[in-house]
Amino acid sequence: MWYQKDYQEATTGFIKVVEDAENNNNDEMLQYGLFGLASSYIMQDEETAALEKLEIISGEAPENIKFSTYYNMGIIAHRHGEYEKATEAFRQALLIDSTNIDAKINLELSLMENTSNSETGTRELSPVSETEYQSSIEDTLFSVIRETEQ
């Protein structure tokens, strides 16, 4: 689904993961499901829906989920011209993983946009689903989905 870029089908799968996690009181599965759902929404340009899901991800979520949550919140804020919010989100992501080059670059771009306050020359940033974190998150999510289906 996700690998085939069938994001509508992936969304359906992630909704099922979230429902199953809530029914089974499985908080870790819930966090992964919410992130997967948010990522699917982002890929479909449904940023408001994505932000709603990202905002309810727990502070107790695994580190890779927390990093990815802040990173994607930064992407969404930047796309909407909210450079201060983007800057803060990328800073929070870097507090979790200070080695992530993409987050560092996006922080710098957001700082530049925020300082210049210009609407020209804005840069398009890529969501975390296109970074190294996504493959481990996807592997975990698809394992959970497969287990649930069995």
Side-chain angles (χ1 to χ4, degrees):
M1 297 177 295
W2 181 268
Y3 292 112
Q4 298 168 347
K5 299 186 180 196
D6 185 353
Y7 300 117
Q8 289 180 341
E9 188 67 29
T11 299
T12 303
F14 291 129
I15 288 172
K16 182 163 178 26
V17 168
V18 168
E19 288 172 353
D20 289 347
E22 290 173 340
N23 291 337
N24 296 316
N25 292 321
N26 186 333
D27 189 57
E28 186 171 359
M29 186 168 78
L30 177 62
Q31 303 310 308
Y32 279 100
L34 288 169
F35 179 76
L37 191 54
S39 296
S40 294
Y41 287 149
I42 289 171
M43 299 309 288
Q44 297 175 77
D45 294 323
E46 296 290 339
E47 293 172 346
T48 302
L51 196 54
E52 287 173 8
K53 298 304 175 196
L54 292 171
E55 288 174 346
I56 58 177
I57 290 176
S58 168
E60 303 299 314
E63 293 295 299
N64 60 336
I65 293 293
K66 288 193 297 189
F67 170 86
S68 299
T69 296
Y70 285 120
Y71 186 97
N72 281 346
M73 290 173 108
I75 296 295
I76 292 169
H78 193 277
R79 286 181 179 172
H80 289 250
E82 298 171 336
Y83 303 117
E84 285 183 44
K85 281 185 179 180
T87 298
E88 183 56 31
F90 291 125
R91 279 191 180 133
Q92 291 297 318
L94 286 167
L95 288 174
I96 296 166
D97 180 2
S98 62
T99 65
N100 188 284
I101 300 299
D102 290 332
K104 289 178 181 180
I105 291 169
N106 290 342
L107 173 61
E108 289 299 321
L109 292 173
S110 295
L111 284 167
M112 286 174 28
E113 293 291 344
N114 192 28
T115 321
S116 70
N117 252 348
S118 76
E119 302 222 358
T120 60
T122 60
R123 294 154 185 88
E124 182 67 22
L125 307 180
S126 299
V128 80
S129 61
E130 297 174 13
T131 69
E132 70 275 359
Y133 281 106
Q134 190 60 32
S135 62
S136 66
I137 293 170
E138 288 173 355
D139 292 343
T140 303
L141 282 170
F142 289 124
S143 294
V144 169
I145 291 171
R146 280 192 289 275
E147 288 172 13
T148 303
E149 288 176 350
Q150 291 174 354

